[in-house]
């Protein structure tokens, strides 16, 4: 069981829900006037007052009490078959709690400004935390078994089935605390870290930005930074800076508090640097992460600096303003896709690669598994939430019809398909670490981009599409490693004391100038743009996983294009179906790839450099 209540994934990019809690209200019309679909949560529970929800919580509490009474202090006495049966029982209780928590999290994500939903979400968090606290002893006692004792029990098929889960559990063996301390940390989480995260989410959801006399949500304001009209982009950038600037004191306090909270826990758990716990959870060695970060930072001049200098020339500017970073090219059409066009483009690309991949993806559209339109109060960005193996994933988007939104659909559908294929592994072994979780999503983006580019014959539109892909890759690789550097420096400096708003702003500007390069001019208000990044708050040091996934997929896709691996599609689907049972070395071995080799990261970055080379030739 996790040491804290299960949470939604951090968003990838980025009228009220009904009292019953099933589907959101009729969705607003898209660009073409079509009705955009919302999700229906009744596959989890029929509503907040569903008797099944209350019954599951009561049954889970009874089961957790019984489990603790039978096994507390006795795990070491269980033989192999008995231990396997105990793990299966633990998994069953966990799945019920994951189902309940998933429903509450999805309800809250659909409208973070509704106080009734907020109270419901908080109540479920507290109830699930109370129940799961009774189970904490179990994994701690398993980790107290010595290697020989555990190996002896692994001879029984009942326990051997859970071998990958036990392997991953043992990673934290040297960083666990006595059961009473673990339980205290676990129970206090809802009034500690989780409460600060909720404060951040709801503050951001309530913010409105005055743009030319119109009140905009954060999703709408950020979308306007991609407008074709430079004056409108500037207005959005200035308004976002003003709105965030008015809340910087609060966001700085949240950041300092959570960084100190992490520092304290890292100290007690004997983690020797701020990224250590995330690297362990990702099952990736420190040296591999350091190689990735180093390779990306060394590439700044040949990737981001070079591309944005080219973009400035296209705009006829000596330097770009920060609000030009995601601007369409000057001669680009303001193409807007309908939802149907986006769906067909993504499924078509998936199907051309593997009919089975498209068949699984089709289920998300045949059923109400995706919440598509932006709404006031809805969380910004996008995510795929796996819920539980006995149900199915749900996707959240904020679809505005841009090409980037089509890529976001391809990305999140990749996550969803991955989660469906891995579900047979069960609640304890279906999830993958963040680094590998990004594989299917980024691969889905690449499939969709390549299909759309190959179908385009107009040179101008091809250049526009290629530039858009380069910018997405820069956002996924360079920008996320810059985020990683910001986090790393903030957490290291926080060990010496709280950081002022001015110091947080200064660190942000230093990493932005380093990563984006001399082609940019940054107005003063840009210094507070760190405040809206949810990754820093939800999941510290999540962000390097995006760069890891993008470079990994670039190398993987190069193997696919080269045709050097027989049965690539089948091997790829087997990799996804493995869920969390295999590590990155084992998953990549069938493709002849090794992430511990620095050349692996250079190969991935080489794809990005090649796209920029092609754009320079077009210019």
């Amino acid at each position: 069981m996790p040491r804290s209540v299960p949470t939604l994934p951090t968003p990838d990019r980025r009228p009220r829900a009904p009292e019953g809690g099933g589907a959101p209200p009729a969705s607003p019309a898209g660009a073409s006037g079509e009705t955009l679909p919302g999700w229906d949560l009744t596959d989890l529970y029929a509503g907040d007052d569903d008797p099944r929800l209350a019954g599951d919580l009561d049954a889970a509490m009874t089961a957790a009490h019984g489990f603790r009474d039978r096994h507390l202090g006795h795990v070491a006495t269980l033989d192999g078959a008995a231990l396997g049966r105990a793990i299966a029982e633990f998994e069953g209780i966990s799945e019920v709690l994951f189902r309940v928590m998933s429903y509450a999290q999805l309800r809250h994500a659909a409208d973070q400004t509704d106080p009734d939903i907020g109270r419901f979400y908080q109540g479920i968090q507290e109830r699930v935390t109370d129940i799961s606290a009774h189970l904490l002893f179990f994994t701690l006692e398993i980790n107290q078994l010595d290697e020989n004792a555990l190996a002896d029990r692994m001879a029984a098929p009942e326990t051997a089935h859970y071998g990958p889960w036990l392997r991953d559990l043992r990673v934290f063996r040297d960083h666990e605390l006595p059961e009473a301390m673990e339980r205290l940390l676990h129970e206090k989480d809802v009034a500690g870290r989780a409460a600060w995260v909720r404060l951040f989410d709801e503050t951001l959801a309530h913010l409105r930005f005055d743009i030319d006399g119109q009140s905009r949500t954060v999703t709408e304001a950020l979308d306007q930074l991609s407008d074709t009209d430079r004056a409108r982009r500037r207005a959005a950038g200035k308004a976002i800076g003003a709105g965030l600037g008015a809340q910087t004191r609060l966001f700085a306090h949240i950041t300092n508090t959570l960084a100190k909270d992490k520092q304290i826990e890292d100290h007690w758990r004997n983690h020797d640097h701020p990224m250590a716990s995330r690297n362990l959870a990702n099952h990736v060695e420190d040296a591999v992460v350091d190689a990735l970060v180093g390779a990306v930072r060394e590439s700044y001049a040949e990737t981001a600096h070079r591309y944005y200098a080219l973009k400035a020339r296209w705009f006829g500017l000596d330097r770009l303003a920060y609000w030009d970073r995601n601007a369409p090219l000057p001669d680009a059409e303001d193409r807007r896709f309908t939802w149907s066009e986006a769906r067909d483009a993504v499924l078509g690309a998936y199907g051309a690669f593997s009919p089975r991949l498209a068949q699984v993806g089709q289920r998300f559209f045949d059923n109400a598994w995706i919440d598509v339109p932006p709404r006031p109060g809805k969380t910004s960005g996008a995510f795929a939430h796996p819920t539980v193996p006995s149900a199915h994933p749900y996707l959240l988007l904020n679809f505005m019809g841009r090409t980037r939104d089509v890529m976001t659909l391809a990305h999140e559908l990749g996550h969803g398909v991955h989660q469906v294929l891995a579900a047979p592994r069960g609640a304890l072994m279906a999830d993958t670490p963040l680094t590998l979780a990004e594989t299917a999503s980024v691969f889905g983006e690449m499939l969709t981009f390549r299909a759309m580019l190959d179908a385009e014959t107009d040179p101008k539109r091809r250049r526009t599409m290629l530039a858009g892909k380069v910018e997405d890759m820069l956002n996924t690789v360079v920008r996320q490693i810059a985020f990683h550097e910001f986090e790393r420096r903030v957490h290291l400096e926080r060990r010496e004391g709280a950081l002022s708003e001015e110091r947080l702003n200064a660190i942000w500007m230093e990493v932005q100038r380093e990563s984006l390069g001399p082609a940019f001019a940054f107005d003063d208000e840009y210094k507070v743009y760190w405040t809206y990044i949810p990754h820093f708050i939800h999941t510290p040091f999540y962000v390097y996983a995006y760069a890891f996934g993008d470079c990994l997929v670039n190398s993987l896709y190069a193997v696919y294009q080269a045709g050097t691996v027989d049965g690539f599609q089948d091997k790829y689907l087997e990799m996804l179906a493995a869920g969390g049972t295999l590590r990155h070395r084992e998953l990549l071995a069938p493709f002849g790839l090794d992430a511990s080799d620095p050349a692996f990261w250079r190969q991935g970055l080489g794809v990005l450099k090649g796209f920029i080379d092609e754009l320079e030739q077009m210019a």
Side-chain angles (χ1 to χ4, degrees):
M1 193 73 188
R3 293 183 184 87
S4 61
V5 173
T7 57
L8 282 169
T10 301
D12 277 325
R13 316 279 196 217
R14 309 287 232 196
R16 300 147 59 89
E19 293 302 319
S27 301
S32 67
E34 62 184 344
T35 299
L36 300 178
W39 58 32
D40 183 352
L41 301 183
T42 55
D43 286 348
L44 297 173
Y45 294 102
D48 299 355
D49 57 356
D50 185 346
R52 219 163 40 92
L53 192 156
D56 280 354
L57 285 168
D58 290 342
M61 179 62 89
T62 299
H65 274 292
F67 187 86
R68 184 178 179 87
D69 290 344
R70 291 192 307 279
H71 296 304
L72 178 64
H74 302 299
V75 172
T77 68
L78 299 175
D79 63 22
L83 178 60
R85 289 193 294 270
I87 296 173
E89 184 180 358
F90 172 84
E91 181 177 41
I93 301 170
S94 298
E95 178 152 359
V96 172
L97 297 180
F98 293 159
R99 174 184 285 268
V100 171
M101 200 65 233
S102 293
Y103 173 78
Q105 289 166 336
L106 293 170
R107 285 278 284 135
H108 188 241
D111 190 346
Q112 296 180 332
T113 59
D114 186 313
D116 292 332
I117 294 176
R119 282 190 293 272
F120 170 77
Y121 175 52
Q122 181 69 21
I124 293 294
Q125 274 191 311
E126 293 175 4
R127 187 79 187 279
V128 168
T129 298
D130 289 344
I131 297 169
S132 57
H134 294 284
L135 305 174
L136 282 175
F137 77 93
F138 185 60
T139 55
L140 298 173
E141 289 194 26
I142 289 176
N143 271 350
Q144 289 167 11
L145 298 172
D146 64 38
E147 295 297 336
N148 291 332
L150 183 59
D152 179 63
R153 287 155 177 78
M154 288 282 288
E158 293 88 345
T159 296
H161 170 75
Y162 291 101
W165 178 73
L166 290 165
R167 173 204 63 199
D168 294 344
L169 185 67
R170 301 290 275 186
V171 166
F172 294 95
R173 186 182 183 194
D174 296 334
H175 304 282
E176 291 177 333
L177 303 173
E179 198 259 350
M181 292 184 68
E182 291 284 4
R183 188 166 178 179
L184 175 64
L185 288 174
H186 183 78
E187 292 186 4
K188 281 178 63 64
D189 186 71
V190 292
R193 186 182 186 284
W196 288 102
V197 171
R198 181 183 165 196
L199 175 62
F200 171 86
D201 286 344
E202 295 188 359
T203 299
L204 201 60
H206 276 91
L207 279 182
R208 295 296 180 268
F209 302 91
D210 183 3
I211 305 177
D212 295 332
Q214 293 186 312
S215 177
R216 300 293 189 188
T217 65
V218 65
T219 297
E220 293 168 333
L222 291 171
D223 179 72
Q224 193 165 319
L225 290 177
S226 298
D227 199 275
T228 55
D229 186 331
R230 193 164 194 251
R232 283 176 53 78
R233 294 197 303 273
R234 181 183 185 278
K238 294 288 186 181
I240 293 169
L244 295 175
Q247 298 291 333
T248 305
R249 182 179 179 186
L250 173 61
F251 288 132
H253 186 55
I254 293 171
T255 299
N256 273 297
T257 300
L258 290 177
K260 183 62 177 178
D261 177 78
K262 186 178 190 304
Q263 177 195 343
I264 293 169
E265 187 160 341
D266 282 350
H267 170 75
W268 280 92
R269 295 192 184 282
N270 295 314
H271 291 304
D272 57 6
H273 60 84
M275 291 82 72
S277 60
R278 177 60 53 210
N279 293 352
L280 285 176
N282 283 341
H283 312 312
V284 62
E285 301 81 5
D286 288 355
V288 172
V289 177
D290 291 344
L292 165 66
V293 172
V296 174
R297 293 185 71 190
E298 288 169 6
S299 80
Y300 284 169
E302 283 298 303
T303 55
H305 297 187
R306 185 161 62 112
Y307 172 76
Y308 289 121
L310 180 62
K311 187 170 185 176
R313 291 200 298 274
W314 285 335
F315 275 77
L317 299 170
D318 292 331
R319 301 176 78 190
L320 296 168
Y322 71 84
W323 57 77
D324 295 322
R325 185 173 58 84
N326 286 327
L329 300 189
D331 58 353
E333 299 173 0
D334 188 17
R335 171 80 191 274
R336 294 290 180 137
F337 290 82
T338 67
W339 173 245
S340 299
E341 289 171 337
R343 176 199 63 207
D344 292 346
V346 173
L347 289 178
Y350 276 38
F353 172 76
S354 163
R356 187 181 173 210
L357 198 68
Q359 288 166 5
V360 177
Q362 183 69 50
R363 295 171 61 187
F364 287 81
F365 301 94
D366 291 343
N367 301 282
W369 295 0
I370 315 179
D371 193 64
V372 176
R375 294 186 302 273
K378 181 178 176 180
T379 189
S380 62
F383 64 68
H385 186 28
T387 72
V388 288
S390 57
H392 55 77
Y394 283 94
L395 310 185
L396 179 142
L397 305 174
N398 280 278
F399 185 79
M400 309 290 281
R402 298 185 186 278
T403 302
R404 187 166 282 121
D405 294 319
V406 180
M407 294 299 112
T408 299
L409 171 61
H411 183 103
E412 299 307 337
L413 189 65
H415 279 307
V417 169
H418 192 177
Q419 291 157 359
V420 169
L421 293 174
R425 298 291 179 177
L428 297 183
M429 295 185 291
D431 285 351
T432 58
L434 298 177
T435 43
L436 297 175
E438 293 303 324
T439 302
S441 55
V442 178
F443 198 85
E445 277 191 81
M446 183 64 82
L447 288 173
T448 304
F449 167 72
R450 291 286 189 176
M452 294 174 69
L453 185 68
D454 291 345
E456 184 55 71
T457 57
D458 181 87
K460 186 172 71 172
R461 286 198 290 266
R462 283 180 61 83
R463 187 187 71 159
T464 299
M465 291 180 64
L466 192 58
K469 181 59 177 175
V470 166
E471 293 191 12
D472 283 345
M473 294 174 77
L474 290 173
N475 285 337
T476 305
V477 178
V478 169
R479 186 164 166 81
Q480 300 302 329
I481 292 302
F483 285 176
H484 172 83
E485 279 299 293
F486 174 80
E487 272 192 288
R488 186 183 66 82
R489 292 177 59 178
V490 167
H491 282 265
L492 287 174
E493 289 193 25
R494 183 63 181 89
R495 293 182 171 189
E496 306 303 319
L499 283 74
S500 66
E501 298 170 38
E502 292 75 19
R503 182 58 189 149
L504 289 164
N505 294 344
I507 296 173
W508 172 256
M509 292 307 301
E510 287 164 12
V511 300
Q512 291 299 298
R513 289 191 176 99
E514 178 196 19
S515 61
L516 296 178
F520 277 95
F522 297 103
D523 284 9
D524 184 62
E525 70 276 356
Y526 186 69
K527 66 187 180 185
V528 301
Y529 268 57
W530 60 270
T531 59
Y532 82 89
I533 309 298
H535 306 72
F536 302 152
I537 304 302
H538 287 228
T539 316
F541 298 102
Y542 181 118
V543 289
Y544 76 74
Y546 288 119
F548 191 110
D550 196 274
C551 291
L552 185 156
V553 165
N554 288 340
S555 296
L556 190 65
Y557 197 87
V559 172
Y560 167 57
Q561 280 191 309
T564 55
V565 174
D566 292 336
F568 183 97
Q569 287 88 337
D570 290 339
K571 287 183 171 67
Y572 176 76
L573 292 174
E574 289 168 6
M575 178 177 71
L576 301 189
T581 62
L582 300 176
R583 298 283 180 85
H584 64 83
R585 291 179 187 274
E586 302 162 303
L587 289 169
L588 294 176
F591 307 99
L593 298 172
D594 179 7
S596 65
D597 183 353
F600 174 84
W601 303 114
R602 291 195 292 271
Q603 179 182 1
L605 289 164
V607 174
L608 173 57
K609 293 176 184 178
F611 285 159
I612 299 173
D613 290 342
E614 189 173 346
L615 283 171
E616 286 184 331
Q617 291 167 6
M618 290 180 180

